[in-house]
Amino acid sequence: MKNGFDENADRKAWMGLLAKAPAGRVATLLDAAMTRPGFTWLRTPEIGSAMVRARAGATGAPFNLGEMTVTRCTLKLESGEVGHAYIQGRRKSDAEAAAVVDALMQTGIADRLRAQLLEPLHDELSAAKATRAAKAAATKVDFFTLARGEG
Amino acid sequence: MYVAVKGGERAIENAHAWLAEERRGDTEIAELSVAQIREQLSLAVHRVSAEGSLFDPDLAALAIKQARGDLIEAIFLIRAYRTTLPRFGFSKPVDTGVMTCDRRISASFKDLPGGQVLGPTFDYSHRLLDFKLAAEGEVPEAPSQEAEAGDVPHVTDFLNREGLIEEPPHGDTPPPDLTREPLEMPADRALRLQALTRADEGFALGLAYSTQRGYARNHAFVGELRIGSVPVEMEIPELGFAIEIGEVVLTECETVNQFKGSKAEPPQFTRGYGLVFGQSERKAISMALVDRALRWEELGEDNIGAPAQDAEFVLYHADNIQATGFLEHIKLPHYVDFQSELELVRKLRREAGTDQVQEAAE
């Protein structure tokens, strides 16, 4: 996404969004937008972990911080497109919905799904972040006002 | 000689049945849901995630419920569950510079870009019991204010620009992993940090406190403490590129420590680093202090024999699951071992003529 020439930027963005969606949300939006297409499993939903790495002193050499749970699956639509999902937590039905969306985003229906699923989901996640950021901003210390001694 | 003794099955079954009943407590009182624990005992959930070394708040909440609130037992449950999971891969190192901060403070710099953001802290509260919480009631919405856009820079970057603070050596060498290879000495910093981030909070706190009281010469300033969430990105082999697979809540502490300099290095500040799953600032600060104390050798400092400087002592005793496993095993049947000790003591007493000593005493 930072790299304007990244041909995968679009897919990276929607897969990242699907990974972070709240439980059940992708399925709800998907079923509201359309009837799900038929598919066959290439890899049924599977729960596992990812080792999260970090850097010493934030910018130094990497170290292993600890794991997080991840659910993944892969499916193929009847029309041939392959959809993958790697999402946070232990959520098999959410992984299925995410993989269906990933596959459908490679079809002619992509624009409709973007408008009816990805954009609303993106707005919801942004709004939740903005709410926390606004509460954090309200706890910012204003030393300057204090030093002036108004009142 | 091993003597198998049978006969405990019924007692064990009944003990477990009673445990389940005691866990539930008085059935006149509403049962706790896992979601209630996750939302309302979130700092306990964070501690179990950090020391269980698995970030999954729902699982940590379930473990706390199952363990009747015994957090070390809950951590044990999470560690055991973790071993059943296939590992899909390793994330790219998370970038705490893009953290969406709930809290971000510096004890070293008053006026810093991004400001001092207190967040939902216990600091400055009077630590008086709030009896209003004993009655059910609505909580008023916390005030909000327009937030500045953009990432919050790390405080140590400012010192770095003047060259006044050491720069951690860059690199992309795959770090050792103590969940795959047994912990062995000497442990490099990457291995030490992995052991410390999952270390028992109380043990880390005690060691860190000992460094403040003089058992290892380093005086730490909290350069920065930040709490918030960061995205986790992982390379997906079947795609051939990396995607975000989720977000984790982290607490990061960077300490700034005095350093007189050595033959190789000019006088400058050095750093200790703490990074922990969840909102756990006591643990993150402790980790940073212990990390700094353990760095004495690479910084060319003296080993004054302080416990917090002894990597072997610190790392081999920091894990509460290993510790409690060994500690608690001594309550399990050791009848045969004890029988042989008993025989030995009786024999020694006979040989030493202890009976005569007793007579003299009378």
Side-chain angles (χ1 to χ4, degrees):
Chain A
M1 281 164 281
K2 283 173 189 164
N3 181 350
F5 300 99
D6 186 351
E7 58 184 71
N8 301 315
D10 223 18
R11 193 171 183 194
K12 280 175 80 150
W14 79 59
M15 289 188 78
L17 190 60
L18 294 168
K20 292 181 288 188
R25 195 65 191 127
V26 174
T28 306
L29 287 168
L30 175 62
D31 293 332
M34 61 182 295
T35 311
R36 294 192 197 190
F39 65 82
T40 49
W41 287 116
L42 298 182
R43 175 161 60 204
T44 53
E46 181 188 12
I47 294 167
S49 77
M51 175 56 92
V52 180
R53 284 182 176 161
R55 290 185 182 280
T59 54
F63 69 96
N64 290 307
L65 181 68
E67 287 164 272
M68 61 184 269
T69 49
V70 177
T71 307
R72 70 176 177 188
C73 67
T74 305
L75 49 79
K76 188 176 183 178
L77 299 185
E78 280 162 359
S79 47
E81 292 80 8
V82 172
H84 296 285
Y86 272 81
I87 68 167
Q88 182 164 22
R90 294 156 302 114
R91 303 185 285 144
K92 289 185 176 180
S93 59
D94 285 346
E96 176 182 326
V100 169
V101 173
D102 181 48
L104 285 171
M105 283 303 293
Q106 303 163 51
T107 68
I109 209 172
D111 287 342
R112 208 176 102 202
L113 263 189
R114 192 183 297 276
Q116 293 182 14
L117 192 150
L118 296 179
E119 281 166 9
L121 187 58
H122 179 267
D123 293 347
E124 285 169 23
L125 293 183
S126 301
K129 275 210 185 297
T131 302
R132 283 193 85 82
K135 286 180 184 172
T139 68
K140 188 157 147 183
V141 180
D142 189 354
F143 288 114
F144 190 61
T145 304
L146 203 70
R148 267 198 315 231
E150 286 172 343
Chain B
M1 186 180 63
Y2 175 73
V3 183
V5 181
K6 294 187 69 132
E9 290 90 342
R10 191 186 50 83
I12 290 170
E13 265 174 34
N14 293 347
H16 288 171
W18 194 19
L19 166 65
E21 203 178 281
E22 289 286 296
R23 175 190 294 124
R24 176 60 184 87
D26 185 349
T27 50
E28 296 290 305
I29 310 288
E31 187 178 350
L32 259 182
S33 72
V34 169
Q36 284 172 328
I37 296 172
R38 186 193 63 221
E39 296 301 315
Q40 297 173 37
L41 296 178
S42 50
L43 300 189
V45 167
H46 287 172
R47 181 170 175 190
V48 171
S49 304
E51 295 171 38
S53 204
L54 182 69
F55 190 87
D56 185 321
D58 289 297
L59 274 184
L62 172 65
I64 290 167
K65 179 173 179 173
Q66 188 178 334
R68 305 175 64 190
D70 178 339
L71 296 189
I72 291 186
E73 180 71 18
I75 291 159
F76 199 161
L77 294 169
I78 292 297
R79 292 272 187 96
Y81 176 81
R82 190 203 68 79
T83 61
T84 66
L85 293 175
R87 188 180 284 175
F88 296 158
F90 300 88
S91 83
K92 290 184 166 184
V94 291
D95 180 1
T96 54
V98 302
M99 181 184 282
T100 48
C101 296
D102 287 349
R103 171 166 166 82
R104 186 282 197 123
I105 54 165
S106 171
S108 319
F109 300 94
K110 184 164 70 73
D111 300 304
L112 68 167
Q116 306 269 0
V117 176
L118 302 182
T121 179
F122 290 127
D123 295 354
Y124 320 107
S125 69
H126 294 106
R127 266 71 184 223
L128 298 173
L129 276 176
D130 180 1
F131 290 98
K132 287 200 296 291
L133 290 174
E136 288 167 35
E138 297 285 310
V139 180
E141 173 95 9
S144 3
Q145 192 175 304
E146 200 177 331
E148 288 169 33
D151 296 335
V152 183
H154 273 112
V155 168
T156 42
D157 293 348
F158 313 134
L159 282 173
N160 220 355
R161 267 176 228 152
E162 281 185 75
L164 295 178
I165 192 162
E166 60 157 341
E167 189 147 4
H170 291 272
D172 279 303
T173 326
D177 184 357
L178 60 79
T179 68
R180 293 298 160 100
E181 301 288 334
L183 182 60
E184 275 178 19
M185 299 295 137
D188 65 9
R189 193 176 181 202
L191 197 57
R192 299 197 302 254
L193 289 171
Q194 185 184 13
L196 289 175
T197 190
R198 54 195 255 144
D200 182 75
E201 181 174 312
F203 185 80
L205 171 64
L207 278 172
Y209 180 44
S210 77
T211 70
Q212 292 185 296
R213 295 192 62 251
Y215 290 88
R217 269 187 299 197
N218 64 72
H219 181 268
F221 293 96
V222 170
E224 180 168 356
L225 185 70
R226 55 169 68 191
I227 302 173
S229 43
V230 296
V232 178
E233 218 182 336
M234 187 167 78
E235 197 77 38
I236 307 297
E238 50 270 42
L239 292 173
F241 54 86
I243 61 164
E244 287 181 6
I245 55 169
E247 265 185 336
V248 291
V249 177
L250 297 176
T251 302
E252 181 185 55
C253 175
E254 287 214 79
T255 58
V256 177
N257 298 65
Q258 295 165 351
F259 182 59
K260 293 195 179 73
S262 65
K263 286 181 193 116
E265 299 289 341
Q268 61 180 350
F269 291 110
T270 55
R271 297 145 84 122
Y273 191 63
L275 186 69
V276 184
F277 277 150
Q279 178 177 341
S280 325
E281 62 189 55
R282 183 185 303 115
K283 171 72 176 289
I285 300 170
S286 300
M287 177 175 169
L289 264 57
V290 177
D291 169 52
R292 177 60 186 79
L294 288 172
R295 297 185 62 214
W296 65 272
E297 203 165 6
E298 66 206 49
L299 293 169
E301 296 175 329
D302 293 334
N303 180 0
I304 60 166
Q309 287 181 311
D310 185 340
E312 193 168 325
F313 177 80
V314 172
L315 302 183
Y316 280 139
H317 301 107
D319 190 294
N320 53 25
I321 300 311
Q322 273 174 14
T324 206
F326 195 71
L327 181 108
E328 294 199 49
H329 102 279
I330 65 171
K331 72 191 175 186
L332 299 174
H334 282 68
Y335 308 136
V336 179
D337 291 350
F338 186 70
Q339 192 64 34
S340 71
E341 296 276 314
L342 199 60
E343 289 301 324
L344 183 65
V345 173
R346 282 180 181 144
K347 182 166 169 272
L348 291 173
R349 283 169 67 100
R350 272 196 305 275
E351 283 170 10
T354 316
D355 294 348
Q356 287 165 13
V357 177
Q358 271 178 348
E359 269 166 37
E362 282 163 20

